[in-house]
Amino acid sequence: MAGDLVLQGPLLLKRRNAPGARQRYCLLFENRLDYFASEADAAVPGAEPRGRLNFDDVQDFEIKSGDFVFKLSEGHSVIVAPLEEDAEKWREAITRVAGQRPWRGAASSQTPPSAEAGAARAEDDGAGGGVASSPGFVRAAAQRPAPGEVRHRGFLEVDKKGVASQRYFALCGRELQYFAGPEDLDAGQQPRGLVALSEVVGFALSDRCLIFELRIQKRPVRVTAPSLEDRDAWVSALRPVLQPQLGEA
């Protein structure tokens, strides 16, 4: 299928009203978005993608809370969430491609780069700001946790630009979501970001630190518990979620 390559890199793919999210290595062309399991798979000459979004099938398009929402026929949608460090370049590339298509929402989605980047910074710099710029954390439109879905919750420290910052985490399904505080979780607020546990390929401990190695991601995600007892409680909650893909390790 013809089409010039515009941009490539990892994205988080999810569908509206479907649980979980998967990080894939994506290739954006003028006429489609192809995704592969890894960058290595994408580099194989002539390799068939794991999935493909043909832009000719898209009826409408919008940018919502930093996510790119492609609306297909019959009410189906494909939601693409960039990693925080790549958000601006993906936004620029996708809105440029969208501007060449007859999608109804394309024109209104082309907000100036500085405006959207400023909004993201404002959330991070405000009271209890986010940690989406930390490696592995994705600012995504995660599903709100359903009653009884939270397996474990509590404060953990993350490293944000070399500074330890405390955030409130909740293990919800196969996502490790974070909030500004417990009141946001209790009020049913959307999480500020998440780690998609379906993409974890390695898990280790170092003193009070829990270390997640993610597919495609070079740098691991590290979170630190207040005590060894808290760390062990998180491990007990995470083990049944990670065990199917990692085994007993």
Side-chain angles (χ1 to χ4, degrees):
M1 180 181 290
D4 294 332
L5 180 63
V6 177
L7 185 63
Q8 59 181 310
L11 289 172
L12 190 79
L13 305 183
K14 63 193 306 180
R15 289 184 180 275
R16 190 186 300 274
N17 299 325
R22 291 186 177 276
Q23 188 169 301
R24 294 288 179 253
Y25 195 84
C26 297
L27 275 63
L28 174 66
F29 295 87
E30 297 285 351
N31 60 348
R32 69 189 189 276
L33 181 70
D34 289 350
Y35 67 86
F36 298 80
S38 67
E39 183 176 3
D41 288 352
V44 175
E48 286 294 321
R50 193 165 197 170
R52 170 173 291 166
L53 173 63
N54 291 315
F55 291 155
D56 287 341
D57 298 331
V58 175
Q59 304 295 316
D60 202 355
F61 168 77
E62 67 174 332
I63 297 178
K64 187 175 182 180
S65 300
D67 298 339
F68 310 114
V69 182
F70 299 90
K71 300 179 181 180
L72 310 179
S73 59
E74 300 178 357
H76 298 301
S77 295
V78 175
I79 302 175
V80 181
L83 302 184
E84 180 68 11
E85 58 267 29
D86 298 329
E88 186 169 344
K89 66 180 182 181
W90 275 105
R91 189 204 58 78
E92 291 177 351
I94 288 181
T95 51
R96 180 171 66 83
V97 171
Q100 301 171 5
R101 315 292 299 190
W103 300 332
R104 293 190 297 274
S108 61
S109 296
Q110 296 187 51
T111 53
S114 57
E116 187 163 324
R121 284 194 298 269
E123 181 176 351
D124 279 353
D125 294 339
V131 293
S133 59
S134 301
F137 290 96
V138 178
R139 188 188 303 281
Q143 301 295 322
R144 294 182 181 182
E149 184 185 353
V150 178
R151 295 171 179 261
H152 193 64
R153 56 191 288 174
F155 283 102
L156 294 170
E157 284 187 353
V158 298
D159 182 78
K160 182 183 177 184
K161 299 180 180 178
V163 178
S165 183
Q166 192 177 65
R167 296 291 176 264
Y168 197 78
F169 282 79
L171 176 59
C172 304
R174 295 181 60 78
E175 295 178 346
L176 183 61
Q177 303 176 357
Y178 73 84
F179 301 80
E183 61 280 357
D184 286 357
L185 173 61
D186 293 336
Q189 297 291 326
Q190 285 201 123
R192 293 197 171 192
L194 62 89
V195 175
L197 297 177
S198 59
E199 297 305 310
V200 172
V201 295
F203 177 68
L205 304 175
S206 177
D207 193 27
R208 294 182 292 111
C209 186
L210 297 89
I211 306 169
F212 302 87
E213 295 181 14
L214 302 181
R215 199 188 325 269
I216 304 174
Q217 180 102 5
K218 292 183 179 180
R219 297 174 61 188
V221 175
R222 296 171 178 265
V223 293
T224 303
S227 67
L228 290 176
E229 290 77 12
D230 288 313
R231 183 207 67 180
D232 291 342
W234 277 105
V235 171
S236 296
L238 286 162
R239 182 175 290 118
V241 179
L242 297 175
Q243 196 172 66
Q245 66 209 60
L246 300 181
E248 297 291 339

